[in-house]
Amino acid sequence: MTDAHTHTETDTETGTRTATEAGAESEITAGLVRDLLREQHPDLAGLTLREVPGGWGNRMWRLGEELAVRMQCMDPTPELLLKERRWLPVLAPRLPLPVPLPVRWGEPSARFPKHWTVMTWVPGEPGDLGPINRGEHAADTLAGFLRALHRQAPAEAPVSTGFGAHPRDCADGFENFIRAVVPDGLPADVAADVRAVWDDAAAARPWEGPPVWVHGDLHPANVVVSDGTLSGVVDFGALCAGDPAWDLAAAWVLLPAGTAARFFDTYADADEAAIRRARGLAAMKSLFLMLMGRNGDRGLPGGKPHWGPAGRAALDRVLKGV
């Protein structure tokens, strides 16, 4: 799972960067972002700048009312940012929900030797803070968005070893998550049920169509909610060509209980095998959210305390199949 950013803002126009080593999370300040804008995009440097807490691989700063600055931070390579630059302008025109569009490039420099991007701001509240309560509307909206996204990807589309593959090829990731969560987060009988869902997904027939565009990392912090329903999708760092089941898992990870069936009816292009794969992947994604929540409870870097309850609720939906 990639890092997620939220849309909660904090006014933090303080501090400047003086250290020579760039990239540590604590060193990316509003002063640094402002200086980089003055150097590379001076026409934008006068806009208000507010930090968007919650990033890990990248950090976000809202720029004025319509833009944001996405800074490479803990990600070891610029691959994810460069991928968004290359492909979001291609995909966005056909998508029925707003997505962040790159509008300016920030290139590595002596002051900050990593990549950064100025992108359009997707208004709304992050899904991990603003719950979806118009479930049927959200199910129809998500299905429409994924039908538009899940088109055959070109030969030059990015591929990933961590996203877009058949569940059986992701067994190590599942094992890592469940072993980390079970000791103090899941009773033995529930863990057995989770393994049964995963084993069923791993045994399901693979995707037999051409690789399609897949967001890959749909979870609550990577969508935007307005008026109780889905209103935008963000963080396309995991974008790749692969199995659409990776996104269909959002039927349980994102949507309220009782709406998965409506989602699949509206999507109308998922056979039984795809639903089985998606359910197993949803179980793995739920465990990821629970692990991030536990890390937050323990004060570990990158942890998100409020993700724990969201992950457990998603796992309950997975186990009930609703």
Side-chain angles (χ1 to χ4, degrees):
M1 317 302 150
T2 64
D3 73 291
H5 69 267
T6 70
H7 282 56
T8 303
E9 299 168 32
T10 305
D11 290 325
T12 53
E13 179 69 28
T14 58
T16 58
R17 177 186 169 85
T18 58
T20 57
E21 295 182 0
E25 185 175 6
S26 61
E27 293 177 335
I28 301 178
T29 65
L32 170 63
V33 177
R34 181 78 69 195
D35 288 346
L36 293 174
L37 289 168
R38 290 190 182 111
E39 292 172 0
Q40 299 191 32
H41 301 287
D43 58 315
L44 302 179
L47 297 174
T48 57
L49 196 63
R50 291 157 286 178
E51 187 174 9
V52 182
W56 175 244
N58 297 282
R59 290 185 63 189
M60 291 281 291
W61 299 80
R62 188 167 180 183
L63 182 64
E65 295 303 313
E66 298 181 353
L67 300 173
V69 181
R70 188 165 166 85
M71 306 283 290
Q72 183 190 345
C73 180
M74 303 303 292
D75 283 344
T77 74
E79 176 186 355
L80 305 187
L81 281 179
L82 298 180
K83 184 194 303 184
E84 290 182 328
R85 289 186 189 180
R86 169 68 179 87
W87 292 108
L88 281 177
V90 175
L91 296 175
R94 73 168 187 237
L95 299 177
L97 289 176
V99 300
L101 269 173
V103 295
R104 302 283 184 92
W105 307 158
E107 301 302 334
S109 65
R111 191 149 176 77
F112 185 72
K114 293 190 177 186
H115 289 265
W116 50 283
T117 305
V118 179
M119 312 183 80
T120 56
W121 177 258
V122 179
E125 192 172 14
D128 60 334
L129 299 178
I132 292 171
N133 51 41
R134 295 169 58 198
E136 292 187 351
H137 187 281
D140 293 345
T141 301
L142 178 62
F145 177 84
L146 292 181
R147 283 186 62 86
L149 176 63
H150 291 167
R151 308 281 183 85
Q152 181 173 349
E156 64 271 23
V159 294
S160 171
T161 57
F163 298 90
H166 192 285
R168 65 169 171 255
D169 297 325
C170 308
D172 288 346
F174 172 80
E175 288 297 329
N176 289 338
F177 288 136
I178 196 167
R179 288 173 182 170
V181 169
V182 164
D184 55 3
L186 286 179
D189 58 334
V190 176
D193 290 342
V194 174
R195 285 191 177 277
V197 169
W198 178 261
D199 290 343
D200 183 65
R205 188 180 70 252
W207 170 248
E208 296 174 344
V212 301
W213 282 114
V214 175
H215 179 284
D217 202 21
L218 288 175
H219 60 69
N222 283 347
V223 299
V224 178
V225 173
S226 299
D227 299 322
T229 191
L230 191 67
S231 61
V233 178
V234 297
D235 197 341
F236 283 75
L239 181 72
C240 63
D243 181 354
W246 275 82
D247 290 345
L248 302 180
W252 296 281
V253 176
L254 289 180
L255 298 176
T259 54
R262 182 182 179 109
F263 164 81
F264 284 110
D265 286 345
T266 305
Y267 182 80
D269 197 25
D271 60 15
E272 179 188 5
I275 294 173
R276 290 166 59 194
R277 297 193 308 275
R279 191 171 172 224
L281 291 166
M284 182 171 70
K285 290 169 180 279
S286 300
L287 293 172
F288 161 73
L289 293 173
M290 293 175 66
L291 178 58
M292 292 292 285
R294 191 193 67 180
N295 289 349
D297 292 339
R298 296 178 176 180
L300 298 177
K304 317 285 183 184
H306 61 295
W307 285 17
R312 184 53 201 262
L315 190 61
D316 288 343
R317 295 191 291 270
V318 169
L319 295 178
K320 293 175 182 176
V322 299

